[in-house]
Amino acid sequence: MIYAQILAGGVGSRMGNTDMPKQFLNIDGKPIIIHTIEKFILVPDFDKIIVSIHPKWQKYAENIIDKYIKDERVVVIDGGSERNDTVLGAIDFIDKNYNLLTDDVLVMHDAVRPFVTRRIIDENIRLSYKYKAVDTAFPATDTIVKVRNEKIKEIPLRQEMYQGQTPQTVHIMSFKKQYLSMEENERKELSDSAKVLLKAGFEVAIVEGDEMNFKITRPFDLKVANMLVKDNVDA
């Protein structure tokens, strides 16, 4: 089976003075998270679409999803304190409710990347039939500088550098086995789910992302997102 997970457990501290997490802020009058879920309900391959939310905001999320989304595949669950804990929470939920199978796949996406394209989602699914892990990344347009202790340590070749995006896709059994085998300090160093399987020695396929598939993190991003949606409506 193929599961989608919308990662919406963050509190959005970099967004500034807001009274709610960034995924619930509006783009053109509709919450960001709803724009994102709408992209996933268009994909018939998904057996379930799991939305992982901070417990404090779970009821709020359920209410707005009920208002905008009419798809029985969508279910809201508690998110974890860290990204990979949130992923593991979804895996445990799948195991308890739908009987986890060897070839089951999880396609994970940030709730605050509402402009993900159908092509990107479809390519993640397609490559999951060949690889245990798939990542989405976009070629870097700026030079990447590696810094330590406020000094430049390395300037890698730009043509080899990509900016990580989502979705990220993993074979659930392989991810769970590797993640649970890691020491706690190793887990804390990982902010990227694909890296879990990369460390296990698996090849990680890449889907080329899109500059539109940006993450809404700061007030400037929210302004850009509103302009993009308005332009599409007016076109």
Side-chain angles (χ1 to χ4, degrees):
M1 296 178 75
I2 301 176
Y3 299 90
Q5 182 185 19
I6 308 299
L7 297 159
V11 296
S13 58
R14 286 176 289 180
M15 184 56 72
N17 187 24
T18 64
D19 59 358
M20 63 179 62
K22 58 192 174 184
Q23 56 268 26
F24 300 123
L25 300 178
N26 284 347
I27 299 176
D28 196 38
K30 186 164 61 177
I32 294 170
I33 191 172
I34 299 301
H35 287 275
T36 303
I37 295 172
E38 286 175 342
K39 298 295 178 65
F40 280 79
I41 63 175
L42 293 174
V43 181
D45 304 74
F46 293 124
D47 296 284
K48 282 289 179 181
I49 300 169
I50 300 166
V51 184
S52 297
I53 297 283
H54 190 286
K56 178 182 176 182
W57 291 94
Q58 184 171 348
K59 188 62 179 178
Y60 182 83
E62 289 172 348
N63 288 338
I64 63 169
I65 289 172
D66 285 344
K67 177 180 178 181
Y68 289 99
I69 303 293
K70 308 302 177 185
D71 192 314
E72 293 182 353
R73 294 175 298 166
V74 179
V75 59
V76 179
I77 69 170
D78 286 352
S81 57
E82 302 291 340
R83 184 184 186 88
N84 284 313
D85 292 331
T86 300
V87 174
L88 198 64
I91 292 172
D92 289 342
F93 176 83
I94 293 168
D95 198 14
K96 290 175 183 176
N97 291 277
Y98 309 114
N99 298 319
L100 187 58
L101 302 174
T102 303
D103 292 330
D104 284 352
V105 167
L106 183 63
V107 181
M108 301 161 280
H109 187 66
D110 297 323
V112 288
R113 292 185 189 270
F115 299 110
V116 63
T117 64
R118 178 68 180 270
R119 172 192 65 81
I120 291 173
I121 298 172
D122 286 347
E123 287 187 16
N124 267 264
I125 294 171
R126 178 180 62 81
L127 287 171
S128 73
Y129 290 103
K130 183 177 179 181
Y131 297 93
K132 295 295 185 183
V134 184
D135 205 352
T136 304
F138 187 69
T141 54
D142 293 323
T143 297
I144 304 297
V145 179
K146 186 175 182 179
V147 176
R148 188 181 298 118
N149 298 325
E150 299 182 341
K151 296 178 183 178
I152 293 176
K153 296 298 180 182
E154 184 181 353
I155 303 178
L157 292 173
R158 188 177 63 187
Q159 57 266 36
E160 295 180 355
M161 296 296 106
Y162 280 65
Q163 298 167 202
Q165 299 184 341
T166 59
Q168 293 184 318
T169 300
V170 297
H171 277 241
I172 296 174
M173 289 284 204
S174 299
F175 177 91
K176 184 176 182 180
K177 180 180 179 181
Q178 172 63 14
Y179 187 69
L180 293 179
S181 72
M182 298 170 71
E183 299 291 337
E184 188 65 28
N185 62 321
E186 290 183 285
R187 295 181 188 179
K188 288 181 178 179
E189 293 176 356
L190 291 170
S191 59
D192 185 285
S193 299
K195 192 173 180 179
V196 173
L197 289 179
L198 191 64
K199 287 178 70 69
F202 290 104
E203 290 184 319
V204 178
I206 186 170
V207 170
E208 184 162 322
D210 192 302
E211 60 186 347
M212 288 283 288
N213 186 29
F214 64 93
K215 189 174 184 179
I216 299 175
T217 304
R218 297 175 175 83
F220 175 79
D221 304 323
L222 189 62
K223 290 179 181 179
V224 172
N226 271 290
M227 288 189 291
L228 289 171
V229 172
K230 187 177 186 303
D231 284 347
N232 286 336
V233 170
D234 294 342

